[in-house]
Amino acid sequence: MSKAFDNWKNHGQPGELAHHKISRSRSNDKRWMEETEGYLSSFGYKKDDFNGKKIIDLGAGSRLRTLWFEDSYIIAIEPLADKFKSISFCDLDKANELYSEPAEKFLDNLEGEVDAIMCVNVLDHCYDAEVIMKNCYKYLKDDGEMLLSVDLHDGRDAKHPIKLNDGILKELVRKTGFNIKREYPIVHGLYSNSCSGITLVLDKNLEEEWWEEDAGE
């Protein structure tokens, strides 16, 4: 495995587990759902947007933001899911499907199965952003969409190992086959006081020209 993977597994993941055990926002039901509603409504969503539809909560953490949506089928992917279950306020058992796997691992049974993916404050916590975005493209139905909201930084510590800026992120989006459907202003302190966050709503680029360009690279 790569050095990035080793650092993520041996340093980043233990740090994530320790952080979630003492998370004040997650331990308070009212605060958590109010915070979630603030984020998702500001990103243009309504509670009934995915009634009867399948949503992946990618990098779900110890609590599911996707529970804000009404009558949705929730698929949670979280590498620490088995360990988070020991935390009293963990609600991952409310997901319809739960995978204790890193987002970098492709789950064949989900290919072409989901209507939406929620990836909120997650991508910079992983070890291979390109692989994750390629997986997400494959999971989505042709008319599906992905909410991608993430901190931008140079890779500030073991829990946040990936360098992302506006240019890098948008090139990654294009390279992995997505269009930017909606874009929101960069906000300082969106998820961390030490950096700024960006939010994009993506859909799949199904134009023949994109596939031809990609094949020629």
Side-chain angles (χ1 to χ4, degrees), residues 19-209:
H19 170 75
H20 278 259
K21 285 181 176 179
I22 61 171
S23 173
R24 292 182 179 179
S25 63
R26 290 173 179 83
S27 63
N28 185 305
D29 291 347
K30 184 174 184 291
R31 177 178 174 182
W32 178 250
M33 291 314 296
E34 286 179 349
E35 178 187 281
T36 297
E37 181 165 18
Y39 283 135
L40 295 179
S41 60
S42 72
F43 301 152
Y45 290 103
K46 302 187 295 295
K47 293 174 73 71
D48 62 354
D49 278 345
F50 300 108
N51 283 9
K53 295 186 177 182
K54 290 185 178 182
I55 309 177
I56 291 180
D57 198 321
L58 191 72
S62 56
R63 298 204 70 162
L64 297 164
R65 291 197 187 276
T66 45
L67 286 174
W68 181 75
F69 293 105
E70 297 173 344
D71 301 320
S72 298
Y73 186 96
I74 297 172
I75 302 166
I77 300 175
E78 169 50 56
L80 290 171
D82 291 341
K83 291 184 169 62
F84 283 152
K85 288 178 181 179
S86 66
I87 301 174
S88 61
F89 52 80
C90 176
D91 62 7
L92 295 178
D93 61 333
K94 294 181 181 179
N96 299 94
E97 296 180 37
L98 175 61
Y99 298 90
S100 189
E101 301 286 358
E104 288 87 349
K105 180 178 178 179
F106 183 66
L107 302 172
D108 298 86
N109 58 303
L110 299 181
E111 185 168 3
E113 287 293 315
V114 304
D115 302 282
I117 298 172
M118 300 285 143
C119 185
V120 179
N121 191 19
V122 171
L123 194 64
D124 63 317
H125 292 248
C126 303
Y127 62 90
D128 194 325
E130 184 172 340
V131 166
I132 291 170
M133 293 300 292
K134 287 179 178 178
N135 290 347
C136 289
Y137 189 94
K138 293 177 183 177
Y139 293 149
L140 282 177
K141 297 177 180 177
D142 285 350
D143 61 350
E145 68 176 44
M146 178 177 182
L147 169 65
L148 178 60
S149 187
V150 64
D151 279 334
L152 304 175
H153 52 75
D154 288 332
R156 67 179 195 264
D157 54 41
K159 291 194 299 180
H160 309 82
I162 292 178
K163 177 180 179 179
L164 289 174
N165 58 38
D166 185 61
I168 291 173
L169 185 66
K170 288 176 180 175
E171 173 59 20
L172 176 63
V173 164
R174 186 206 67 79
K175 184 177 182 181
T176 51
F178 287 98
N179 290 312
I180 297 176
K181 183 178 179 180
R182 300 197 302 273
E183 178 177 355
Y184 294 88
I186 294 174
V187 177
H188 182 73
L190 185 61
Y191 302 113
S192 168
N193 290 331
S194 60
C195 48
S196 298
I198 189 172
T199 301
L200 307 172
V201 176
L202 312 174
D203 58 11
K204 297 177 78 168
N205 184 348
L206 301 174
E207 295 294 327
E208 186 175 332
E209 290 81 0

